[in-house]
Amino acid sequence: MAHRAPGTKAYDGPLSESHAEAWHYLDQWTIHGEVLFAVTALAERQAQQAAPVMSPSRTET
């Protein structure tokens, strides 16, 4: 059995395959990630605008 350490084919081969598979997901995040941040920011702004302003009650003891 081959020794699995950085710099050997037994180590670097599977690692490079894993990195190649990850590129698809990284590309998808690049395309869609910014939109997700924008949608979240818009939802937070709308929630803040819709929230009633709470003032302290004068009758609290």
Side-chain angles (χ1 to χ4, degrees):
M1 181 169 186
H3 181 63
R4 294 183 184 212
T8 64
K9 189 173 183 174
Y11 180 88
D12 292 338
L15 181 62
S16 64
E17 289 175 18
S18 176
H19 288 173
E21 291 172 7
W23 278 112
H24 168 73
Y25 299 103
L26 293 172
D27 289 339
Q28 292 297 308
W29 174 250
T30 301
I31 294 167
H32 303 295
E34 189 172 331
V35 173
L36 293 174
F37 286 128
V39 168
T40 301
L42 178 61
E44 288 175 352
R45 279 195 305 270
Q46 288 179 344
Q48 288 174 355
Q49 291 173 354
V53 177
M54 302 294 285
S55 62
S57 173
R58 294 182 181 189
T59 60
E60 290 181 12
T61 58

